[in-house]
Amino acid sequence: NEKDVATARALWAKVIEKDPGHVESRVELAELALANRDWKTATAQLQALVQVEPKNANLHNSLGLALKGHGKFEDARASYQKALAADDSFANAALNLGILELRHLQNPAAAEQALERYLAKASTPIKEADELLAEAKMLIQSQSEEKRMLEEQKKLEEEAARKAAEEAKNPKPAEAPPADAAPEGAAPAEAAPAEAAPAEPPPAEAAEAPPAEDPGAATAPSKKKKTKKKPKDADKDKAPDKDDNFYKD
């Protein structure tokens, strides 16, 4: 807990105050400060320790962690590199350097190199190492593509500037207007209206057909048949029918 940490810190500080060269006390105090993210105390103790033991790879690696916590990334890189120079097989220093280059210094090429070194040296590498290496390779490819596009853009801009300079030195003569072109400022002549097509003659009126004759009117009026009147005395001469009954006087 915090109380125990404070007690231990005070104890190690008293030992160092009495004996500044007491390496073990400084190491304990530095590790305690690193565990509690007390970057200032850790940095101070570790800087004193590497002066005493400049070939101690572990001290340089721990100092790199403290400096990175401070935000001093360039100094942290130097400490990791000193750790690897002191012990080429120190895998943790290579891992810390790879993470620093990738996440804080935006140098994926250097991160790729350090992470590959870690994977080659570590007996049991952490699983995140492969993911970090893949991330570094992807950023390298992205940066390469971006660089190519910027170079092409630069070439296009240089070519455009060169052509503009040549045209400025050798301006093209103004082209003469065509002969049938209207003078500038003159209103364009209106086109003559197209002649209207002759109107088609009205259709000939159909000859008026004679009115149809009334069939009744065409026939002559029928003459009534005249019946001849019998003379009054004609019946006298006619013989009586045998069936008629006559009275005799």
Side-chain angles (χ1 to χ4, degrees):
N1 55 35
E2 294 182 2
K3 186 176 180 180
D4 293 338
V5 170
T7 302
R9 183 179 296 172
L11 177 61
W12 297 124
K14 285 181 179 180
V15 173
I16 294 168
E17 185 179 356
K18 291 179 180 180
D19 183 5
H22 198 285
V23 174
E24 184 180 353
S25 298
R26 286 188 180 274
V27 170
E28 293 291 339
L29 184 57
E31 289 180 355
L32 186 64
L34 284 173
N36 289 275
R37 295 178 174 271
D38 183 1
W39 310 122
K40 184 177 180 180
T41 300
T43 300
Q45 297 304 319
L46 289 165
Q47 283 177 336
L49 286 169
V50 295
Q51 296 297 323
V52 178
E53 298 183 25
K55 298 296 183 180
N56 189 325
N58 191 48
L59 291 176
H60 284 294
N61 183 61
S62 295
L63 178 57
L65 291 172
L67 291 167
K68 187 182 80 169
H70 260 311
K72 298 180 179 180
F73 302 135
E74 295 291 343
D75 293 340
R77 173 197 275 166
S79 292
Y80 293 141
Q81 289 172 343
K82 287 178 181 178
L84 291 169
D87 183 359
D88 181 70
S89 64
F90 194 11
N92 284 345
L95 175 62
N96 290 332
L97 179 60
I99 294 172
L100 179 73
E101 295 284 6
L102 181 63
R103 297 288 174 79
H104 301 283
L105 295 173
Q106 285 74 47
N107 190 345
E112 179 187 28
Q113 184 178 2
L115 292 168
E116 287 178 344
R117 186 174 183 176
Y118 165 75
L119 290 169
K121 299 294 183 181
S123 56
T124 54
I126 61 172
K127 63 180 182 179
E128 290 85 355
D130 289 327
E131 297 174 1
L132 292 168
L133 182 59
E135 182 181 344
K137 289 181 180 295
M138 183 180 66
L139 287 173
I140 290 171
Q141 183 178 0
S142 177
Q143 288 180 353
S144 177
E145 181 65 18
E146 183 180 0
K147 182 180 178 181
R148 184 188 65 79
M149 293 177 66
L150 289 174
E151 288 176 351
E152 289 183 357
Q153 181 65 25
K154 184 179 179 181
K155 288 181 180 179
L156 291 173
E157 290 175 355
E158 290 175 351
E159 181 65 18
R162 186 186 64 78
K163 288 183 178 180
E166 288 180 356
E167 291 177 358
K169 290 180 181 179
N170 304 307
K172 293 181 179 180
E175 296 183 0
D180 57 348
E184 187 175 354
E190 295 184 0
E195 293 184 2
E200 295 184 1
E205 294 184 1
E208 188 173 346
E213 294 183 0
D214 187 357
T219 58
S222 59
K223 295 181 179 180
K224 291 184 179 181
K225 189 176 181 180
K226 295 181 178 181
T227 55
K228 294 181 179 180
K229 293 182 178 181
K230 293 180 179 181
K232 293 180 179 181
D233 295 335
D235 291 335
K236 292 180 177 182
D237 297 332
K238 181 179 176 182
D241 290 333
K242 60 182 180 179
D243 292 332
D244 290 341
N245 294 319
F246 292 94
Y247 291 98
K248 294 181 178 179
D249 290 333

